[in-house]
Amino acid sequence: MWPAELKIRQGAIRPATVLAPMAGVTDTVFRRVIRSLGGCGLMMTEFTSAEGLTRHSARTLRYLYFDEDEHPIAAQIFGADHAVMASAAALIEDLGFDHADINLGCPVKKVVKCGGSGLLRDLPNLEKLLRAVRAAVRIPLTIKIRAGWDEKTIVAVEVARMAEQVGIEAIAIHPRTRMQGYSGRADWRLIASVKQAVGIPVIGNGDVATPQDAVKMVEETGCDAVMIGRAASSNPWIFRQIVDYVERGLYDEPSEMDRYTLLSRYFRSLMEAEMPDAVGKMKQFASLFTHGVRNGGELRYRVHRAHSGAEILDCVDAFFAKASASAE
Ligand SMILES: Cc1cc2nc3c(=O)[nH]c(=O)nc-3n(C[C@H](O)[C@H](O)[C@H](O)COP(=O)(O)O)c2cc1C
């Protein structure tokens, strides 16, 4: 049965779907695109350095900008120093986020040295860290974990039990190990084991590419909500499609015109907001987003060679004008 809501403390999140945190992707502009298409219950920011945040670095604070219509929204932080993480979480609360989330999953070398999935290697230390952060905030505190460091040290269930004891209020699990990176398949059986082990909400994550996958994940694991990452950047309609699929058993695919409208709106917003690395983001998104588009390879090639946001927008406009002329 698809859950009617995800309940974190007293807050009911409807629908029970979550946009996964994705560094370089889920900035405020992208999140607002997702919000406007509907169907996504909870937004998450990109992960943010606790060190940068407590130094009040302008760049870090910019990462944490959000609009009122993004609520409910959780900010994710990473770091290893207990006091710094506690202060960063308190700042997250002051900035008006609904939840603070701790990243215990990032596999990137630079990050595991100072947090992320590196923290899964020393659970007594992790417990102290979680206690310190818990004591620093009143808003709900959540964590996002991987299965463990490697296949010999699968600690998700142990971490989940400990986290619940410490007062963590929801746990998202991406059941791959740090060493796996993104290879192989996410082992959803581990989501089911975590769900059986704790009373707090469990958010399942990993390899949901279609609404059918989302429903299957809930059926197979009993998770309280489904979190979607990569599929949201190639198909931002997926959250809406899940709602339709759950309610009616079917859903619409976006038309080429829908894709064009979204791409050009998103790119214009990135430029207007003067987002850092807007051109890089436009290139990355264009490449992910145009796989379902007829002759998308041609657009990807042109966008890749462009040097400015305006040039990329011209490519997009010209491509879709040509596509719609040839369809007439
Ligand atoms: C480009 C990219 C950036 C990511 N950044 C973060 C991050 O900042 N914090 C985090 O917890 N996970 C991050 N992840 C992992 C995702 O949140 C998610 O756990 C993973 O992609 C598996 O879900 P999916 O199969 O739905 O993509 C990132 C993943 C990708 C592809």
Short mmCIF file of all heavy atoms in Angstrom, two decimals, residues 71-112:
data_model
loop_
_atom_site.label_atom_id
_atom_site.label_comp_id
_atom_site.label_asym_id
_atom_site.label_seq_id
_atom_site.Cartn_x
_atom_site.Cartn_y
_atom_site.Cartn_z
N HIS A 71 9.11 24.96 0.92
CA HIS A 71 8.75 24.20 2.12
C HIS A 71 7.84 23.03 1.76
O HIS A 71 7.02 23.18 0.86
CB HIS A 71 7.99 25.09 3.11
CG HIS A 71 8.86 26.06 3.84
ND1 HIS A 71 9.81 25.69 4.77
CD2 HIS A 71 8.94 27.42 3.77
CE1 HIS A 71 10.42 26.77 5.25
NE2 HIS A 71 9.92 27.83 4.65
N PRO A 72 7.90 21.90 2.44
CA PRO A 72 8.89 21.55 3.44
C PRO A 72 10.24 21.23 2.80
O PRO A 72 10.31 20.57 1.78
CB PRO A 72 8.31 20.32 4.13
CG PRO A 72 7.33 19.75 3.16
CD PRO A 72 6.88 20.85 2.26
N ILE A 73 11.28 21.74 3.45
CA ILE A 73 12.62 21.57 2.90
C ILE A 73 13.63 21.24 4.00
O ILE A 73 13.58 21.84 5.09
CB ILE A 73 13.04 22.84 2.11
CG1 ILE A 73 14.45 22.66 1.53
CG2 ILE A 73 12.92 24.11 2.93
CD1 ILE A 73 14.83 23.69 0.48
N ALA A 74 14.49 20.29 3.71
CA ALA A 74 15.54 19.90 4.65
C ALA A 74 16.89 20.36 4.09
O ALA A 74 17.11 20.28 2.88
CB ALA A 74 15.56 18.38 4.82
N ALA A 75 17.75 20.83 4.97
CA ALA A 75 19.11 21.18 4.53
C ALA A 75 20.05 20.08 4.97
O ALA A 75 20.00 19.63 6.12
CB ALA A 75 19.53 22.51 5.13
N GLN A 76 20.89 19.65 4.06
CA GLN A 76 21.83 18.58 4.41
C GLN A 76 23.22 19.16 4.65
O GLN A 76 23.72 19.96 3.86
CB GLN A 76 21.92 17.55 3.29
CG GLN A 76 22.70 16.32 3.74
CD GLN A 76 22.99 15.35 2.63
OE1 GLN A 76 23.67 15.68 1.67
NE2 GLN A 76 22.48 14.14 2.75
N ILE A 77 23.84 18.72 5.74
CA ILE A 77 25.20 19.17 6.04
C ILE A 77 26.14 17.97 6.11
O ILE A 77 25.70 16.86 6.37
CB ILE A 77 25.28 19.97 7.37
CG1 ILE A 77 24.63 19.18 8.53
CG2 ILE A 77 24.64 21.33 7.22
CD1 ILE A 77 24.85 19.84 9.89
N PHE A 78 27.41 18.25 5.85
CA PHE A 78 28.41 17.19 6.06
C PHE A 78 29.59 17.77 6.82
O PHE A 78 29.86 18.97 6.77
CB PHE A 78 28.87 16.56 4.74
CG PHE A 78 29.77 17.42 3.91
CD1 PHE A 78 31.16 17.33 4.03
CD2 PHE A 78 29.25 18.32 3.00
CE1 PHE A 78 32.00 18.13 3.26
CE2 PHE A 78 30.07 19.12 2.22
CZ PHE A 78 31.46 19.03 2.35
N GLY A 79 30.26 16.87 7.54
CA GLY A 79 31.41 17.28 8.32
C GLY A 79 31.66 16.22 9.37
O GLY A 79 30.88 15.26 9.49
N ALA A 80 32.74 16.35 10.13
CA ALA A 80 33.07 15.32 11.11
C ALA A 80 33.28 15.91 12.50
O ALA A 80 33.14 15.21 13.51
CB ALA A 80 34.32 14.57 10.68
N ASP A 81 33.61 17.19 12.56
CA ASP A 81 33.86 17.81 13.86
C ASP A 81 32.53 18.01 14.59
O ASP A 81 31.61 18.66 14.07
CB ASP A 81 34.55 19.16 13.64
CG ASP A 81 34.94 19.80 14.95
OD1 ASP A 81 34.04 20.33 15.66
OD2 ASP A 81 36.14 19.77 15.28
N HIS A 82 32.43 17.43 15.79
CA HIS A 82 31.14 17.42 16.48
C HIS A 82 30.63 18.83 16.75
O HIS A 82 29.47 19.13 16.49
CB HIS A 82 31.25 16.64 17.80
CG HIS A 82 31.70 15.23 17.61
ND1 HIS A 82 31.71 14.30 18.62
CD2 HIS A 82 32.18 14.56 16.52
CE1 HIS A 82 32.15 13.14 18.16
NE2 HIS A 82 32.45 13.29 16.90
N ALA A 83 31.50 19.69 17.27
CA ALA A 83 31.05 21.04 17.64
C ALA A 83 30.68 21.84 16.39
O ALA A 83 29.67 22.57 16.39
CB ALA A 83 32.16 21.76 18.42
N VAL A 84 31.46 21.68 15.35
CA VAL A 84 31.18 22.42 14.11
C VAL A 84 29.86 21.94 13.50
O VAL A 84 29.02 22.75 13.06
CB VAL A 84 32.34 22.25 13.10
CG1 VAL A 84 31.99 22.84 11.74
CG2 VAL A 84 33.61 22.91 13.64
N MET A 85 29.66 20.64 13.52
CA MET A 85 28.40 20.11 12.98
C MET A 85 27.21 20.60 13.80
O MET A 85 26.15 20.93 13.25
CB MET A 85 28.43 18.57 12.97
CG MET A 85 29.30 17.98 11.87
SD MET A 85 28.59 18.20 10.22
CE MET A 85 27.46 16.81 10.16
N ALA A 86 27.38 20.65 15.12
CA ALA A 86 26.29 21.13 15.99
C ALA A 86 25.98 22.59 15.67
O ALA A 86 24.81 22.97 15.52
CB ALA A 86 26.67 20.95 17.45
N SER A 87 27.02 23.42 15.53
CA SER A 87 26.77 24.84 15.22
C SER A 87 26.13 24.98 13.84
O SER A 87 25.25 25.82 13.64
CB SER A 87 28.05 25.67 15.18
OG SER A 87 28.81 25.45 16.30
N ALA A 88 26.59 24.18 12.89
CA ALA A 88 26.03 24.27 11.53
C ALA A 88 24.55 23.91 11.55
O ALA A 88 23.73 24.58 10.92
CB ALA A 88 26.79 23.35 10.59
N ALA A 89 24.20 22.87 12.31
CA ALA A 89 22.79 22.47 12.38
C ALA A 89 21.95 23.58 13.02
O ALA A 89 20.82 23.85 12.58
CB ALA A 89 22.65 21.17 13.15
N ALA A 90 22.52 24.24 14.03
CA ALA A 90 21.78 25.34 14.67
C ALA A 90 21.55 26.47 13.66
O ALA A 90 20.49 27.10 13.63
CB ALA A 90 22.55 25.84 15.89
N LEU A 91 22.54 26.72 12.81
CA LEU A 91 22.38 27.75 11.78
C LEU A 91 21.28 27.36 10.79
O LEU A 91 20.50 28.21 10.34
CB LEU A 91 23.69 27.92 11.01
CG LEU A 91 24.68 28.89 11.65
CD1 LEU A 91 26.07 28.75 11.03
CD2 LEU A 91 24.18 30.32 11.44
N ILE A 92 21.25 26.08 10.46
CA ILE A 92 20.20 25.57 9.55
C ILE A 92 18.82 25.88 10.14
O ILE A 92 17.91 26.32 9.44
CB ILE A 92 20.37 24.03 9.37
CG1 ILE A 92 21.66 23.67 8.66
CG2 ILE A 92 19.16 23.39 8.71
CD1 ILE A 92 21.73 24.11 7.25
N GLU A 93 18.72 25.65 11.44
CA GLU A 93 17.45 25.94 12.11
C GLU A 93 17.14 27.44 12.04
O GLU A 93 16.02 27.83 11.69
CB GLU A 93 17.54 25.47 13.57
CG GLU A 93 16.31 25.77 14.37
CD GLU A 93 16.30 25.00 15.70
OE1 GLU A 93 16.31 23.76 15.66
OE2 GLU A 93 16.31 25.65 16.74
N ASP A 94 18.15 28.26 12.31
CA ASP A 94 17.94 29.72 12.27
C ASP A 94 17.55 30.19 10.86
O ASP A 94 16.83 31.17 10.72
CB ASP A 94 19.21 30.47 12.69
CG ASP A 94 19.51 30.28 14.16
OD1 ASP A 94 18.59 29.84 14.89
OD2 ASP A 94 20.65 30.55 14.58
N LEU A 95 18.05 29.52 9.85
CA LEU A 95 17.74 29.95 8.48
C LEU A 95 16.30 29.59 8.08
O LEU A 95 15.84 30.00 7.02
CB LEU A 95 18.72 29.30 7.49
CG LEU A 95 20.16 29.85 7.52
CD1 LEU A 95 21.08 28.98 6.65
CD2 LEU A 95 20.20 31.29 7.04
N GLY A 96 15.63 28.80 8.92
CA GLY A 96 14.21 28.52 8.67
C GLY A 96 13.93 27.20 7.97
O GLY A 96 12.80 26.96 7.53
N PHE A 97 14.93 26.33 7.88
CA PHE A 97 14.67 25.02 7.28
C PHE A 97 13.76 24.20 8.20
O PHE A 97 13.77 24.38 9.41
CB PHE A 97 16.00 24.27 7.04
CG PHE A 97 16.75 24.80 5.86
CD1 PHE A 97 17.77 25.73 6.01
CD2 PHE A 97 16.41 24.38 4.58
CE1 PHE A 97 18.45 26.23 4.91
CE2 PHE A 97 17.10 24.87 3.47
CZ PHE A 97 18.12 25.79 3.64
N ASP A 98 13.02 23.28 7.58
CA ASP A 98 12.11 22.45 8.36
C ASP A 98 12.83 21.31 9.07
O ASP A 98 12.42 20.90 10.16
CB ASP A 98 11.02 21.88 7.43
CG ASP A 98 10.21 23.01 6.81
OD1 ASP A 98 9.48 23.67 7.56
OD2 ASP A 98 10.36 23.27 5.60
N HIS A 99 13.86 20.75 8.42
CA HIS A 99 14.64 19.67 9.04
C HIS A 99 16.11 19.93 8.76
O HIS A 99 16.45 20.54 7.75
CB HIS A 99 14.35 18.29 8.41
CG HIS A 99 12.92 17.93 8.24
ND1 HIS A 99 12.46 17.09 7.27
CD2 HIS A 99 11.81 18.30 8.96
CE1 HIS A 99 11.16 16.94 7.38
NE2 HIS A 99 10.73 17.68 8.39
N ALA A 100 16.96 19.37 9.63
CA ALA A 100 18.39 19.32 9.34
C ALA A 100 18.72 17.86 9.06
O ALA A 100 18.22 16.97 9.76
CB ALA A 100 19.19 19.83 10.53
N ASP A 101 19.54 17.63 8.05
CA ASP A 101 19.89 16.25 7.68
C ASP A 101 21.41 16.12 7.65
O ASP A 101 22.11 17.02 7.21
CB ASP A 101 19.32 15.94 6.29
CG ASP A 101 19.62 14.50 5.88
OD1 ASP A 101 18.90 13.60 6.34
OD2 ASP A 101 20.58 14.27 5.12
N ILE A 102 21.88 14.98 8.14
CA ILE A 102 23.33 14.74 8.16
C ILE A 102 23.69 13.73 7.09
O ILE A 102 23.09 12.66 6.99
CB ILE A 102 23.77 14.22 9.55
CG1 ILE A 102 23.40 15.25 10.61
CG2 ILE A 102 25.27 13.94 9.57
CD1 ILE A 102 23.76 14.81 12.02
N ASN A 103 24.67 14.10 6.28
CA ASN A 103 25.13 13.22 5.20
C ASN A 103 26.08 12.16 5.76
O ASN A 103 27.16 12.47 6.25
CB ASN A 103 25.85 14.07 4.14
CG ASN A 103 26.39 13.24 3.00
OD1 ASN A 103 27.09 12.25 3.21
ND2 ASN A 103 26.07 13.63 1.79
N LEU A 104 25.64 10.90 5.66
CA LEU A 104 26.49 9.78 6.07
C LEU A 104 26.65 8.83 4.89
O LEU A 104 26.75 7.61 5.07
CB LEU A 104 25.87 9.05 7.26
CG LEU A 104 25.64 9.89 8.52
CD1 LEU A 104 24.91 9.10 9.59
CD2 LEU A 104 26.98 10.37 9.08
N GLY A 105 26.62 9.40 3.70
CA GLY A 105 26.65 8.53 2.53
C GLY A 105 27.64 8.92 1.46
O GLY A 105 27.98 8.10 0.61
N CYS A 106 28.10 10.17 1.48
CA CYS A 106 28.90 10.62 0.34
C CYS A 106 30.15 9.75 0.19
O CYS A 106 30.91 9.56 1.13
CB CYS A 106 29.30 12.08 0.49
SG CYS A 106 30.17 12.64 -0.98
N PRO A 107 30.37 9.20 -1.03
CA PRO A 107 31.51 8.30 -1.23
C PRO A 107 32.78 9.02 -1.73
O PRO A 107 33.83 8.40 -1.83
CB PRO A 107 31.00 7.37 -2.33
CG PRO A 107 30.06 8.22 -3.15
CD PRO A 107 29.49 9.24 -2.21
N VAL A 108 32.68 10.32 -2.00
CA VAL A 108 33.80 11.04 -2.64
C VAL A 108 34.99 11.13 -1.68
O VAL A 108 34.83 11.46 -0.50
CB VAL A 108 33.33 12.46 -3.06
CG1 VAL A 108 34.48 13.28 -3.62
CG2 VAL A 108 32.21 12.35 -4.07
N LYS A 109 36.19 10.85 -2.23
CA LYS A 109 37.41 10.77 -1.41
C LYS A 109 37.62 11.99 -0.51
O LYS A 109 37.89 11.88 0.69
CB LYS A 109 38.61 10.62 -2.34
CG LYS A 109 39.48 9.43 -1.97
CD LYS A 109 40.68 9.35 -2.84
CE LYS A 109 41.15 7.91 -2.87
NZ LYS A 109 41.96 7.62 -4.02
N LYS A 110 37.48 13.16 -1.11
CA LYS A 110 37.71 14.40 -0.37
C LYS A 110 36.75 14.52 0.83
O LYS A 110 37.10 15.06 1.87
CB LYS A 110 37.48 15.58 -1.33
CG LYS A 110 38.40 16.75 -1.11
CD LYS A 110 38.32 17.73 -2.26
CE LYS A 110 37.05 18.56 -2.23
NZ LYS A 110 36.87 19.45 -3.38
N VAL A 111 35.53 14.00 0.64
CA VAL A 111 34.50 14.14 1.68
C VAL A 111 34.65 13.06 2.76
O VAL A 111 34.50 13.34 3.96
CB VAL A 111 33.08 14.11 1.06
CG1 VAL A 111 32.01 14.08 2.13
CG2 VAL A 111 32.89 15.32 0.15
N VAL A 112 34.99 11.82 2.36
CA VAL A 112 35.02 10.75 3.39
C VAL A 112 36.11 10.98 4.42
O VAL A 112 36.04 10.48 5.53
CB VAL A 112 35.15 9.31 2.79
CG1 VAL A 112 33.97 8.99 1.89
CG2 VAL A 112 36.44 9.10 2.05
#
